[in-house]
Amino acid sequence: MTDEMLAWQTERFLQLETGRHGHVVALRPEQVVEVAFDGIQRSPRYPGGLALRFARVLRYRDDKTATEADTMDTVRSLA
């Protein structure tokens, strides 16, 4: 992630913030993010039960709405 992308992300996410719970920041589900990863593994640490291995942000998708984003069902089908 470049410094420019990190600065943009920080500003954008602050606009979408709905609350904070410890180190977790809740956001309105409006920004679509394209994420690349090397694999998927089962994990009891996450509510969805899966973890993306070596996940990284490729880009932000302003051409897609949140309703067009993949869901946990899609991730589970890949696992």
Side-chain angles (χ1 to χ4, degrees):
M1 202 181 281
T2 65
D3 288 342
E4 181 180 327
M5 183 186 283
L6 185 57
W8 178 89
Q9 173 183 285
T10 300
E11 182 179 329
R12 174 70 173 142
F13 288 179
L14 287 173
Q15 293 170 359
L16 298 175
E17 182 179 345
T18 61
R20 292 178 185 237
H21 312 280
H23 65 279
V24 176
V25 179
L27 307 176
R28 289 190 314 276
E30 297 174 14
Q31 184 66 57
V32 177
V33 181
E34 185 173 343
V35 177
F37 55 91
D38 292 336
I40 302 171
Q41 69 183 38
R42 302 228 177 267
S43 174
R45 298 181 77 185
Y46 300 103
L50 298 170
L52 301 179
R53 304 253 316 139
F54 302 103
R56 57 213 173 269
V57 172
L58 290 183
R59 61 184 170 147
Y60 291 95
R61 299 291 303 265
D62 292 328
D63 61 319
K64 290 189 174 255
T65 65
T67 58
E68 296 173 290
D70 286 331
T71 65
M72 280 301 296
D73 289 337
T74 303
V75 177
R76 283 187 191 98
S77 74
L78 297 171

